[in-house]
């Protein structure tokens, strides 16, 4: 009895923000951003699931004006996901009964991370569990509009030297897990 809109976006924060703004203007009441991501946290493997506690833009750099790296002027240091949505997402992910399920920080930037040193820096500097290219832009738009949100990502690669090959190989498989979590989340709302 609840209308659900499923929209397919394109890579990058601008595309994601434009799509999120469209949803907000159409009056959606909750937003779930899903897809794949590169692992940053030690121990995460291909196919594991990450549910956002919060998100930030790792490539926001206004240090020249005195802002910390990753902070967008006029915005909070990160955008917190809806507790109700992340609780439902975690329950749905754990019900799948396969792989690791992690609640943590998602870091977004207009960069495909394929360097183990860069991945380590994003983990150490921001506490990012995974890196992707859209989620924090969606969360920024939703936060400004007062629309609850959560990010659900399935790990497609290690964000290291094999990231490009792993991404291409495993995305079709692991994206199905993220999709299953979203379906389970919807059933729990």
């Amino acid at each position: 009895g609840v209308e659900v809109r499923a929209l397919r976006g394109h890579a990058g924060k601008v595309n994601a923000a434009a799509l999120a703004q469209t949803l907000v203007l159409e009056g959606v009441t909750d937003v779930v951003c899903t897809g794949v991501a590169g692992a940053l946290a030690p121990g995460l493997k291909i196919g594991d699931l990450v549910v956002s506690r919060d998100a930030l833009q790792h490539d926001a750099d206004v240090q020249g004006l005195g802002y910390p790296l990753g902070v967008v002027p006029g915005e909070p240091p990160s955008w917190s996901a809806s507790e109700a949505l992340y609780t439902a997402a975690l329950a749905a992910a754990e019900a799948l009964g396969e792989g690791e399920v992690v609640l943590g920080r998602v870091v977004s930037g207009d960069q495909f991370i394929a360097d183990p040193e860069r991945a380590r820096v994003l983990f150490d500097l921001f506490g990012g569990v995974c890196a992707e290219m859209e989620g924090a832009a969606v969360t920024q738009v939703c936060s400004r509009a007062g629309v609850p949100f959560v990010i659900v990502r399935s790990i497609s690669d290690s964000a290291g030297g094999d990231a490009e090959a792993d991404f291409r190989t495993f995305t079709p498989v692991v994206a199905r897990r993220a999709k299953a979590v979203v379906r389970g989340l919807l059933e729990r709302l």
Side-chain angles (χ1 to χ4, degrees), residues 3-164:
E3 182 180 346
V4 175
R5 295 175 187 243
L7 303 175
R8 182 177 183 208
H10 298 283
K13 295 186 309 184
V14 171
N15 287 323
L19 190 61
Q21 186 63 40
T22 298
L23 291 171
V24 165
L25 292 173
E26 289 179 355
V28 298
T29 57
D30 300 280
V31 172
V32 180
C33 178
T34 190
V36 298
L40 299 176
L44 275 182
K45 299 174 295 307
I46 291 171
D48 289 344
L49 293 163
V50 174
V51 175
S52 68
R53 179 192 69 239
D54 66 342
L56 63 78
Q57 295 181 36
H58 68 77
D59 61 349
D61 188 349
V62 194
Q63 294 177 92
L65 294 177
Y67 293 90
L69 186 64
V71 172
V72 176
E75 296 289 336
S78 67
W79 297 277
S80 296
S82 157
E83 186 174 352
L85 290 176
Y86 76 62
T87 299
L90 287 170
E94 290 169 3
L96 293 178
E98 47 186 89
E100 188 78 23
V101 178
V102 176
L103 176 67
R105 174 169 285 165
V106 174
V107 297
S108 305
D110 283 324
Q111 304 162 353
F112 181 81
I113 307 301
D115 173 24
E117 179 59 24
R118 179 73 176 137
R120 187 191 61 73
V121 167
L122 293 176
F123 176 75
D124 290 347
L125 189 59
F126 298 113
V129 174
C130 68
E132 42 88 284
M133 297 177 64
E134 298 83 22
V138 171
T139 66
Q140 181 180 0
V141 170
C142 290
S143 180
R144 290 182 74 98
V147 174
F149 59 84
V150 70
I151 303 167
V152 176
R153 295 290 183 173
S154 188
I155 299 300
S156 61
D157 60 85
S158 65
D162 295 332
E164 190 263 337

